[in-house]
Every structure is written in structure tokens, then in C-alpha cells.
Coordinates of all heavy atoms in Angstrom, one line a residue:
M280 N 145.2 138.4 112.5 CA 145.7 137.6 111.4 C 145.6 136.2 111.8 O 145.9 135.8 112.9 CB 147.1 138.0 111.2 CG 147.8 137.3 110.0 SD 149.4 137.8 109.6 CE 150.4 136.7 110.7
S281 N 145.2 135.4 110.9 CA 145.1 133.9 111.1 C 146.5 133.3 111.2 O 147.5 133.8 110.6 CB 144.4 133.3 109.9 OG 144.5 131.9 110.0
T282 N 146.6 132.3 112.0 CA 147.9 131.6 112.1 C 148.1 130.6 111.0 O 149.1 130.0 110.8 CB 148.1 130.8 113.5 OG1 147.0 129.9 113.6 CG2 148.1 131.8 114.6
Y283 N 147.0 130.4 110.2 CA 147.0 129.5 109.1 C 146.8 130.3 107.8 O 146.0 131.2 107.8 CB 145.9 128.4 109.1 CG 146.0 127.6 110.4 CD1 145.2 127.8 111.5 CD2 147.0 126.5 110.5 CE1 145.3 127.0 112.6 CE2 147.1 125.8 111.6 CZ 146.3 126.0 112.7 OH 146.4 125.2 113.8
K284 N 147.5 130.0 106.7 CA 147.3 130.6 105.5 C 147.0 129.6 104.4 O 147.6 128.5 104.4 CB 148.6 131.4 105.0 CG 148.9 132.6 105.8 CD 147.9 133.7 105.4 CE 148.2 135.0 106.1 NZ 147.2 136.0 105.9
L285 N 146.2 129.9 103.5 CA 145.9 129.1 102.3 C 146.1 130.0 101.1 O 145.5 131.1 101.0 CB 144.4 128.6 102.4 CG 143.9 127.9 101.1 CD1 144.7 126.6 100.9 CD2 142.4 127.6 101.2
L286 N 147.0 129.6 100.2 CA 147.3 130.5 99.1 C 147.7 129.6 97.9 O 148.0 128.5 98.0 CB 148.3 131.5 99.4 CG 149.6 131.1 100.1 CD1 150.7 130.6 99.1 CD2 150.1 132.2 101.0
R287 N 147.6 130.3 96.7 CA 148.1 129.7 95.5 C 149.3 130.4 95.0 O 149.3 131.7 95.0 CB 147.0 129.7 94.4 CG 147.4 129.0 93.1 CD 146.2 129.0 92.1 NE 145.1 128.4 92.6 CZ 144.8 127.0 92.4 NH1 145.7 126.3 91.8 NH2 143.7 126.5 92.9
V288 N 150.3 129.7 94.6 CA 151.6 130.3 94.2 C 151.6 130.3 92.7 O 150.8 129.6 92.0 CB 152.8 129.7 94.8 CG1 152.9 130.0 96.3 CG2 152.9 128.2 94.6
S289 N 152.5 131.1 92.1 CA 152.6 131.3 90.6 C 152.9 130.0 89.9 O 152.6 129.9 88.7 CB 153.7 132.3 90.3 OG 154.9 131.9 90.8
T290 N 153.4 128.9 90.5 CA 153.6 127.6 89.9 C 152.4 126.8 89.9 O 152.4 125.7 89.3 CB 154.8 126.9 90.6 OG1 154.5 126.8 92.0 CG2 156.1 127.6 90.4
G291 N 151.3 127.2 90.5 CA 150.0 126.5 90.4 C 149.6 125.8 91.7 O 148.5 125.4 91.8
E292 N 150.6 125.5 92.6 CA 150.3 124.8 93.8 C 149.4 125.6 94.7 O 149.6 126.8 94.9 CB 151.5 124.4 94.6 CG 152.4 123.4 93.9 CD 153.6 124.0 93.2 OE1 153.7 125.2 93.1 OE2 154.5 123.2 92.8
E293 N 148.5 124.9 95.4 CA 147.7 125.6 96.5 C 148.3 125.0 97.8 O 148.5 123.8 97.9 CB 146.3 125.2 96.4 CG 145.4 126.1 97.1 CD 143.9 126.1 96.6 OE1 143.6 125.4 95.7 OE2 143.1 126.8 97.3
I294 N 148.7 125.9 98.7 CA 149.4 125.5 99.9 C 148.7 126.0 101.1 O 148.2 127.1 101.2 CB 150.8 126.1 99.9 CG1 151.5 125.8 98.6 CG2 151.6 125.7 101.1 CD1 152.8 126.7 98.4
I295 N 148.7 125.2 102.2 CA 148.2 125.6 103.5 C 149.4 125.4 104.4 O 150.2 124.4 104.3 CB 147.0 124.8 104.0 CG1 146.5 125.4 105.3 CG2 147.2 123.3 104.0 CD1 145.1 124.9 105.7
F296 N 149.6 126.3 105.3 CA 150.7 126.3 106.3 C 150.4 127.1 107.5 O 149.5 127.9 107.5 CB 152.0 126.7 105.6 CG 151.9 128.2 105.1 CD1 152.3 129.2 105.9 CD2 151.6 128.4 103.8 CE1 152.3 130.5 105.4 CE2 151.6 129.7 103.3 CZ 151.9 130.8 104.1
T297 N 151.2 126.9 108.5 CA 151.2 127.7 109.7 C 152.2 128.8 109.5 O 153.3 128.5 109.1 CB 151.6 126.8 111.0 OG1 150.7 125.7 111.1 CG2 151.5 127.7 112.2
V298 N 151.8 130.0 109.8 CA 152.7 131.2 109.7 C 153.6 131.2 110.9 O 153.2 131.4 112.0 CB 151.9 132.5 109.6 CG1 152.8 133.7 109.5 CG2 150.9 132.5 108.4
K299 N 154.9 131.0 110.6 CA 155.9 131.0 111.7 C 156.4 132.5 111.9 O 156.6 132.9 113.0 CB 157.0 130.1 111.4 CG 158.1 130.0 112.5 CD 159.1 128.9 112.2 CE 160.0 128.7 113.3 NZ 160.9 127.6 113.1
D300 N 156.5 133.2 110.8 CA 156.9 134.6 110.8 C 156.5 135.2 109.5 O 156.2 134.5 108.5 CB 158.5 134.6 111.0 CG 158.9 136.0 111.4 OD1 158.1 136.9 111.8 OD2 160.2 136.2 111.5
E301 N 156.5 136.5 109.5 CA 156.2 137.2 108.3 C 157.1 138.5 108.1 O 157.4 139.2 109.1 CB 154.7 137.7 108.3 CG 154.3 138.4 107.1 CD 152.8 138.8 107.1 OE1 152.1 138.4 108.0 OE2 152.4 139.4 106.1
T302 N 157.6 138.7 106.9 CA 158.4 139.9 106.6 C 157.6 140.6 105.6 O 156.6 140.1 105.1 CB 159.8 139.5 106.1 OG1 159.7 139.0 104.8 CG2 160.5 138.5 107.0
P303 N 158.1 141.8 105.2 CA 157.4 142.6 104.2 C 157.4 141.8 102.8 O 156.5 142.1 102.0 CB 158.2 143.9 104.1 CG 158.8 144.0 105.4 CD 159.1 142.6 105.9
T304 N 158.3 140.9 102.6 CA 158.4 140.3 101.3 C 158.1 138.8 101.3 O 158.1 138.2 100.3 CB 159.8 140.4 100.7 OG1 160.8 139.9 101.6 CG2 160.1 141.9 100.5
A305 N 157.9 138.2 102.5 CA 157.8 136.7 102.5 C 157.1 136.2 103.8 O 157.0 136.9 104.8 CB 159.1 136.0 102.5
Y306 N 156.5 135.0 103.7 CA 156.0 134.3 104.8 C 157.1 133.2 105.2 O 157.6 132.6 104.2 CB 154.7 133.6 104.5 CG 153.5 134.5 104.4 CD1 152.9 134.6 103.2 CD2 153.0 135.2 105.5 CE1 151.8 135.4 103.0 CE2 151.9 136.0 105.3 CZ 151.3 136.1 104.1 OH 150.2 136.9 103.9
I307 N 157.3 133.0 106.4 CA 158.1 131.8 106.8 C 157.0 130.7 107.2 O 156.3 130.9 108.1 CB 159.0 132.1 108.0 CG1 159.9 133.3 107.8 CG2 159.8 130.8 108.4 CD1 160.7 133.2 106.5
A308 N 156.9 129.7 106.4 CA 155.9 128.7 106.5 C 156.4 127.5 107.2 O 157.4 126.9 106.8 CB 155.4 128.3 105.1
S309 N 155.7 127.1 108.3 CA 156.0 125.9 109.0 C 155.1 124.8 108.5 O 153.9 124.9 108.4 CB 155.7 126.2 110.5 OG 156.0 125.0 111.3
K310 N 155.7 123.7 108.2 CA 155.0 122.5 107.7 C 154.1 122.8 106.6 O 152.9 122.4 106.7 CB 154.3 121.8 108.9 CG 155.3 121.3 110.0 CD 154.6 120.6 111.1 CE 155.5 120.2 112.1 NZ 154.9 119.5 113.2
P311 N 154.5 123.4 105.5 CA 153.6 123.6 104.4 C 153.1 122.4 103.7 O 153.9 121.4 103.5 CB 154.5 124.5 103.4 CG 155.9 124.1 103.8 CD 155.9 123.8 105.2
I312 N 151.9 122.3 103.4 CA 151.2 121.2 102.8 C 150.6 121.6 101.5 O 149.9 122.6 101.5 CB 150.2 120.6 103.7 CG1 150.8 120.0 105.0 CG2 149.4 119.5 103.0 CD1 151.6 118.8 104.9
A313 N 150.9 120.9 100.4 CA 150.2 121.2 99.1 C 148.9 120.4 99.0 O 148.8 119.3 99.6 CB 151.2 120.8 98.0
L314 N 148.0 121.0 98.3 CA 146.7 120.3 98.1 C 146.6 119.9 96.6 O 147.0 120.6 95.7 CB 145.6 121.3 98.4 CG 145.6 122.1 99.7 CD1 144.5 123.1 99.8 CD2 145.5 121.1 100.8
A315 N 145.9 118.8 96.4 CA 145.7 118.3 95.0 C 144.2 117.8 95.0 O 143.8 117.1 95.9 CB 146.6 117.2 94.6
V316 N 143.5 118.1 93.9 CA 142.2 117.5 93.7 C 142.3 116.2 93.0 O 143.0 116.0 92.0 CB 141.4 118.5 92.8 CG1 140.0 117.9 92.5 CG2 141.3 119.9 93.4
V317 N 141.7 115.2 93.6 CA 141.8 113.8 93.1 C 140.4 113.2 93.0 O 139.5 113.5 93.8 CB 142.6 112.9 94.1 CG1 144.1 113.3 94.1 CG2 142.1 112.9 95.5
P318 N 140.2 112.4 91.9 CA 138.9 111.8 91.8 C 138.7 110.7 92.8 O 139.6 110.0 93.2 CB 139.0 111.1 90.4 CG 140.4 111.0 90.0 CD 141.1 112.1 90.9
Q319 N 137.4 110.7 93.3 CA 137.0 109.6 94.3 C 135.7 109.1 93.8 O 134.6 109.6 94.2 CB 136.9 110.2 95.7 CG 138.2 110.7 96.3 CD 138.0 111.2 97.7 OE1 137.0 111.7 98.0 NE2 139.1 111.2 98.4
G320 N 135.8 108.1 92.9 CA 134.6 107.6 92.3 C 134.0 108.6 91.3 O 134.7 109.1 90.4
E321 N 132.8 109.0 91.5 CA 132.2 110.1 90.6 C 132.3 111.5 91.2 O 131.8 112.4 90.6 CB 130.7 109.7 90.4 CG 130.6 108.4 89.5 CD 129.1 108.2 89.2 OE1 128.3 109.1 89.1 OE2 128.8 107.0 88.9
Q322 N 133.0 111.6 92.3 CA 133.2 112.9 92.9 C 134.7 113.2 93.0 O 135.5 112.4 92.6 CB 132.6 112.9 94.3 CG 131.1 112.7 94.3 CD 130.5 112.8 95.7 OE1 131.2 112.6 96.7 NE2 129.2 113.0 95.8
Y323 N 135.0 114.3 93.6 CA 136.4 114.7 93.8 C 136.6 115.0 95.2 O 135.8 115.5 96.0 CB 136.7 115.9 92.9 CG 136.7 115.6 91.5 CD1 135.5 115.8 90.7 CD2 137.8 115.2 90.8 CE1 135.5 115.5 89.4 CE2 137.8 114.9 89.5 CZ 136.6 115.1 88.8 OH 136.6 114.8 87.4
G324 N 137.9 114.8 95.7 CA 138.3 115.1 97.0 C 139.7 115.8 97.0 O 140.3 116.0 96.0
L325 N 140.1 116.2 98.2 CA 141.4 116.8 98.3 C 142.4 115.8 98.9 O 142.1 115.1 99.8 CB 141.4 118.0 99.2 CG 140.7 119.3 98.7 CD1 140.7 120.3 99.7 CD2 141.5 119.8 97.5
Q326 N 143.6 115.8 98.4 CA 144.7 115.0 98.9 C 145.7 116.0 99.4 O 146.1 117.0 98.7 CB 145.3 114.1 97.9 CG 146.4 113.2 98.4 CD 146.9 112.2 97.4 OE1 146.6 112.3 96.2 NE2 147.7 111.3 97.9
L327 N 146.3 115.8 100.6 CA 147.3 116.7 101.2 C 148.6 115.9 101.2 O 148.7 114.8 101.5 CB 146.9 117.0 102.6 CG 145.8 118.0 102.9 CD1 144.5 117.5 102.4 CD2 145.8 118.5 104.3
F328 N 149.7 116.6 100.7 CA 151.0 116.0 100.7 C 152.0 117.1 100.9 O 151.7 118.3 100.8 CB 151.3 115.3 99.4 CG 151.1 116.2 98.1 CD1 152.2 116.8 97.6 CD2 149.8 116.3 97.5 CE1 152.0 117.6 96.5 CE2 149.7 117.1 96.4 CZ 150.8 117.8 95.9
P329 N 153.2 116.7 101.4 CA 154.2 117.8 101.8 C 154.6 118.7 100.6 O 154.7 118.2 99.4 CB 155.5 116.9 102.1 CG 154.9 115.6 102.5 CD 153.7 115.4 101.7
Y330 N 154.6 120.0 100.8 CA 155.0 120.9 99.8 C 156.4 120.7 99.3 O 156.8 120.8 98.1 CB 154.8 122.3 100.3 CG 155.2 123.4 99.3 CD1 154.5 123.5 98.1 CD2 156.3 124.3 99.6 CE1 154.9 124.5 97.2 CE2 156.6 125.3 98.7 CZ 155.9 125.4 97.5 OH 156.3 126.4 96.6
S331 N 157.3 120.3 100.2 CA 158.7 120.0 99.9 C 159.0 118.5 100.4 O 159.3 118.3 101.6 CB 159.6 121.0 100.6 OG 161.0 120.6 100.4
P332 N 158.8 117.6 99.5 CA 159.0 116.2 100.0 C 160.4 115.9 100.5 O 160.5 115.0 101.4 CB 158.7 115.4 98.7 CG 157.9 116.2 97.8 CD 158.3 117.6 98.1
A333 N 161.4 116.6 100.1 CA 162.7 116.4 100.6 C 162.9 116.9 102.0 O 163.8 116.5 102.7 CB 163.8 117.1 99.7
N334 N 162.0 117.8 102.4 CA 162.1 118.4 103.8 C 160.7 118.6 104.3 O 160.3 119.8 104.6 CB 162.9 119.8 103.7 CG 163.2 120.3 105.1 OD1 163.1 119.6 106.1 ND2 163.5 121.6 105.1
P335 N 159.9 117.6 104.5 CA 158.5 117.7 104.9 C 158.3 118.4 106.2 O 157.2 119.0 106.4 CB 158.0 116.3 104.9 CG 159.2 115.4 105.1 CD 160.4 116.2 104.5
E336 N 159.2 118.3 107.2 CA 159.0 118.9 108.5 C 159.6 120.2 108.6 O 159.5 120.9 109.7 CB 159.5 117.9 109.6 CG 158.7 116.6 109.7 CD 157.3 116.8 110.1 OE1 157.0 117.5 111.0 OE2 156.4 116.1 109.5
G337 N 160.3 120.7 107.6 CA 161.1 121.9 107.7 C 160.2 123.1 107.4 O 159.1 123.0 106.8
D338 N 160.8 124.3 107.6 CA 160.2 125.6 107.3 C 160.5 125.9 105.8 O 161.6 125.5 105.3 CB 160.7 126.7 108.2 CG 160.3 126.5 109.6 OD1 159.4 125.7 109.9 OD2 161.0 127.1 110.5
Q339 N 159.7 126.6 105.2 CA 159.9 127.1 103.8 C 159.6 128.6 103.7 O 158.8 129.1 104.4 CB 158.9 126.4 102.8 CG 159.1 124.9 102.7 CD 160.4 124.6 101.9 OE1 160.7 125.2 101.0 NE2 161.1 123.5 102.4
V340 N 160.4 129.3 102.9 CA 160.1 130.7 102.7 C 159.2 130.8 101.4 O 159.5 130.3 100.4 CB 161.4 131.5 102.4 CG1 161.2 132.9 102.1 CG2 162.4 131.3 103.6
I341 N 158.1 131.5 101.6 CA 157.1 131.7 100.5 C 157.2 133.2 100.2 O 156.7 134.0 101.0 CB 155.7 131.3 100.9 CG1 155.6 129.9 101.5 CG2 154.7 131.4 99.7 CD1 156.0 128.7 100.6
F342 N 157.8 133.5 99.1 CA 157.9 134.9 98.7 C 156.5 135.5 98.2 O 155.9 134.9 97.4 CB 159.0 135.1 97.6 CG 160.3 134.8 98.2 CD1 160.9 133.6 97.9 CD2 161.0 135.7 98.9 CE1 162.2 133.3 98.4 CE2 162.3 135.5 99.4 CZ 162.9 134.2 99.2
K343 N 156.2 136.6 98.8 CA 154.9 137.2 98.5 C 154.7 137.6 97.0 O 153.6 137.6 96.5 CB 154.7 138.4 99.4 CG 154.5 138.1 100.9 CD 154.3 139.3 101.7 CE 154.0 138.9 103.2 NZ 153.8 140.0 104.0
D344 N 155.8 137.9 96.3 CA 155.6 138.2 94.9 C 155.3 137.0 94.0 O 155.0 137.1 92.9 CB 156.9 139.0 94.4 CG 158.1 138.1 94.4 OD1 158.2 137.1 95.0 OD2 159.1 138.5 93.7
K345 N 155.3 135.8 94.6 CA 155.0 134.6 93.9 C 153.6 134.1 94.2 O 153.1 133.1 93.8 CB 156.0 133.5 94.3 CG 157.4 133.8 94.0 CD 157.7 134.1 92.5 CE 159.1 134.4 92.3 NZ 159.3 135.3 91.2
I346 N 152.9 134.9 95.1 CA 151.5 134.5 95.5 C 150.5 135.0 94.4 O 150.5 136.2 94.1 CB 151.2 135.0 96.9 CG1 152.1 134.4 97.9 CG2 149.7 134.8 97.2 CD1 152.0 135.0 99.3
V347 N 149.7 134.1 93.9 CA 148.7 134.5 92.9 C 147.3 134.9 93.6 O 146.7 135.9 93.3 CB 148.4 133.4 91.9 CG1 147.3 133.7 91.0 CG2 149.7 133.1 91.2
S348 N 147.0 134.1 94.6 CA 145.7 134.4 95.4 C 145.9 133.9 96.8 O 146.7 133.0 97.1 CB 144.5 133.7 94.8 OG 144.6 132.3 94.8
E349 N 145.1 134.5 97.7 CA 145.3 134.2 99.1 C 143.9 134.2 99.8 O 143.1 135.2 99.6 CB 146.2 135.2 99.8 CG 146.4 134.9 101.2 CD 147.5 135.9 101.8 OE1 148.2 136.6 101.0 OE2 147.6 136.0 103.0
S350 N 143.5 133.2 100.5 CA 142.2 133.1 101.2 C 142.3 134.0 102.4 O 143.3 134.1 103.1 CB 141.9 131.7 101.6 OG 141.6 130.9 100.5
V351 N 141.2 134.7 102.7 CA 141.1 135.5 103.9 C 141.2 134.5 105.1 O 142.0 134.8 106.0 CB 139.8 136.3 104.0 CG1 139.6 137.0 105.3 CG2 139.7 137.2 102.8
E352 N 140.5 133.4 105.1 CA 140.5 132.5 106.2 C 140.3 131.1 105.6 O 139.3 130.8 104.9 CB 139.4 132.8 107.2 CG 139.4 131.9 108.4 CD 140.6 132.2 109.4 OE1 141.0 133.3 109.5 OE2 141.0 131.2 110.0
P353 N 141.3 130.2 105.8 CA 141.0 128.8 105.3 C 139.8 128.2 105.9 O 139.5 128.4 107.0 CB 142.3 128.0 105.7 CG 143.3 129.1 106.0 CD 142.5 130.3 106.5
P354 N 139.1 127.3 105.1 CA 137.9 126.6 105.7 C 138.3 125.8 106.9 O 139.3 125.2 106.9 CB 137.4 125.8 104.5 CG 138.1 126.3 103.3 CD 139.3 127.0 103.7
E355 N 137.4 125.8 107.8 CA 137.6 125.0 109.1 C 137.9 123.6 108.9 O 138.8 123.0 109.5 CB 136.4 125.2 110.0 CG 136.6 124.7 111.4 CD 137.7 125.4 112.2 OE1 137.8 126.7 112.0 OE2 138.4 124.8 112.9
G356 N 137.2 122.9 107.9 CA 137.5 121.5 107.6 C 138.9 121.3 107.1 O 139.5 120.3 107.4
L357 N 139.4 122.2 106.3 CA 140.7 122.1 105.8 C 141.8 122.3 106.9 O 142.8 121.6 106.9 CB 140.9 123.1 104.7 CG 142.3 123.1 104.0 CD1 142.6 121.7 103.4 CD2 142.3 124.1 102.8
I358 N 141.5 123.2 107.8 CA 142.4 123.4 108.9 C 142.5 122.2 109.8 O 143.6 121.8 110.2 CB 142.0 124.7 109.8 CG1 142.2 125.9 109.0 CG2 142.7 124.7 111.1 CD1 141.6 127.2 109.7
R359 N 141.3 121.5 110.0 CA 141.3 120.3 110.8 C 142.2 119.2 110.1 O 142.9 118.5 110.7 CB 139.9 119.8 111.0 CG 139.2 120.5 112.2 CD 137.9 119.8 112.6 NE 137.0 119.4 111.6 CZ 136.1 120.2 111.1 NH1 135.9 121.4 111.6 NH2 135.3 119.8 110.1
A360 N 142.0 119.1 108.8 CA 142.7 118.1 108.0 C 144.2 118.4 108.1 O 145.1 117.5 108.2 CB 142.2 118.0 106.6
Y361 N 144.6 119.7 108.0 CA 146.0 120.1 108.1 C 146.6 119.7 109.4 O 147.7 119.2 109.5 CB 146.1 121.6 107.8 CG 147.5 122.2 108.1 CD1 148.5 122.0 107.2 CD2 147.7 122.8 109.3 CE1 149.8 122.5 107.4 CE2 149.0 123.3 109.5 CZ 150.0 123.2 108.6 OH 151.3 123.7 108.9
I362 N 145.9 120.0 110.5 CA 146.3 119.7 111.8 C 146.5 118.2 112.0 O 147.5 117.8 112.5 CB 145.4 120.3 112.9 CG1 145.5 121.8 112.9 CG2 145.7 119.7 114.3 CD1 144.4 122.5 113.7
Q363 N 145.6 117.4 111.5 CA 145.7 116.0 111.6 C 146.9 115.5 110.8 O 147.6 114.6 111.3 CB 144.4 115.3 111.2 CG 144.5 113.8 111.3 CD 143.2 113.1 110.9 OE1 142.2 113.8 110.6 NE2 143.2 111.8 110.9
R364 N 147.1 116.0 109.6 CA 148.2 115.6 108.8 C 149.5 115.9 109.3 O 150.5 115.2 109.2 CB 148.0 116.2 107.4 CG 149.1 115.9 106.4 CD 148.9 114.5 105.9 NE 149.7 114.2 104.7 CZ 151.0 113.9 104.7 NH1 151.7 113.9 105.8 NH2 151.6 113.7 103.6
T365 N 149.6 117.1 110.0 CA 151.0 117.6 110.4 C 151.3 117.2 111.9 O 152.4 117.2 112.2 CB 151.1 119.1 110.3 OG1 150.0 119.7 111.0 CG2 151.0 119.5 108.8
T366 N 150.3 116.8 112.7 CA 150.5 116.5 114.1 C 150.0 115.1 114.5 O 150.5 114.6 115.5 CB 149.8 117.5 115.0 OG1 148.4 117.3 114.9 CG2 150.2 118.9 114.7
G367 N 149.1 114.5 113.7 CA 148.6 113.3 114.0 C 147.4 113.4 115.0 O 146.7 112.4 115.3
I368 N 147.1 114.6 115.4 CA 146.0 114.9 116.3 C 144.7 115.0 115.5 O 144.6 115.8 114.6 CB 146.2 116.2 117.1 CG1 147.4 116.0 118.0 CG2 145.0 116.5 118.0 CD1 147.9 117.3 118.7
E369 N 143.7 114.3 115.9 CA 142.4 114.4 115.2 C 141.5 115.2 116.1 O 141.2 114.9 117.2 CB 141.8 113.0 115.0 CG 140.5 113.0 114.1 CD 140.1 111.7 113.6 OE1 140.9 110.7 113.6 OE2 138.9 111.5 113.3
I370 N 141.0 116.3 115.5 CA 140.1 117.2 116.2 C 138.7 116.8 116.0 O 138.2 116.6 114.9 CB 140.3 118.7 115.7 CG1 141.8 119.1 116.0 CG2 139.3 119.6 116.4 CD1 142.1 120.4 115.4
A371 N 138.0 116.6 117.1 CA 136.6 116.2 117.1 C 135.7 117.4 116.6 O 136.0 118.6 116.8 CB 136.1 115.9 118.5
Q372 N 134.7 117.0 115.8 CA 133.8 118.0 115.2 C 132.7 118.3 116.2 O 132.1 117.4 116.8 CB 133.2 117.5 113.9 CG 133.3 118.5 112.8 CD 132.8 117.9 111.5 OE1 132.7 116.7 111.3 NE2 132.4 118.7 110.6
A373 N 132.3 119.5 116.4 CA 131.2 119.9 117.3 C 129.9 119.6 116.6 O 129.8 119.8 115.4 CB 131.3 121.4 117.7
F374 N 128.9 119.2 117.4 CA 127.6 119.0 116.7 C 126.7 120.2 116.8 O 126.7 121.0 117.6 CB 126.9 117.8 117.5 CG 127.6 116.5 117.2 CD1 128.5 116.0 118.1 CD2 127.4 115.8 116.0 CE1 129.2 114.8 117.9 CE2 128.1 114.6 115.8 CZ 129.0 114.1 116.7

């Protein structure tokens, strides 16, 4: 199982997070980050922002019955962006 999850919840948000724990009914999400598609000139990019602005560093419970879709494995570039956003560590890309 991946330590990172990327999923869409019933309210429409797409969220990436580190799995802190898992129960039969929920994920305990550490530092969940929501994704938004934003225009960048004539193209589009992703913007990452705290899923819970009132508690950006805290854990959140994501109930499994509210999940609409779940990626098998988040894309590597998104994981790097998540790590940089949540830790400040920039991971070098291999050539």
C-alpha cells in the first residue's frame, strides 16, 4: 500500500495526503492538500492548498463512504510537489 493517497471526495475536492492510519471506514490523513486546476496563460496547471485552512498541519479523518474515486498510485511529480509543499524539501529529479 502506498503511503500517499490521491482521491476525490463527494464534495468534489481532489486530495493528496500521507496515510497516517487506516480503519475499515476511514483514512487518517496527515497534512491533506487539496488540488485545484488553474489557468496559466493558454495552459492549465495545478495549485496545491491546505484541505483544511483552519488546521493546515493537522490530521483529518477522510471517511471512505465519501470517496468518489481513488488513484492506485499518485503520479510521481505530484508526490514531489506534495512533499515540497508540506515539508519545504525539494526533491531532485533523476535524469
Side-chain angles (χ1 to χ4, degrees):
M280 181 176 92
S281 172
T282 58
Y283 301 102
K284 287 285 182 187
L285 173 63
L286 48 88
R287 182 178 299 272
V288 292
S289 59
T290 54
E292 292 102 349
E293 200 159 356
I294 307 166
I295 186 169
F296 58 89
T297 302
V298 178
K299 185 172 186 176
D300 197 9
E301 182 177 356
T302 72
T304 60
Y306 289 112
I307 308 303
S309 177
K310 298 181 181 180
I312 297 290
L314 310 173
V316 177
V317 294
Q319 293 180 336
E321 294 186 22
Q322 297 181 342
Y323 293 91
L325 284 178
Q326 183 175 11
L327 284 67
F328 56 94
Y330 178 63
S331 177
N334 188 17
E336 295 296 316
D338 296 340
Q339 296 287 322
V340 177
I341 309 294
F342 292 100
K343 291 181 178 179
D344 65 344
K345 304 299 181 206
I346 298 172
V347 175
S348 66
E349 183 174 343
S350 293
V351 175
E352 184 72 30
E355 190 62 37
L357 183 55
I358 292 172
R359 280 195 310 273
Y361 170 80
I362 291 169
Q363 183 176 354
R364 177 74 165 82
T365 58
T366 67
I368 298 170
E369 189 167 339
I370 298 175
Q372 228 175 339
F374 291 100

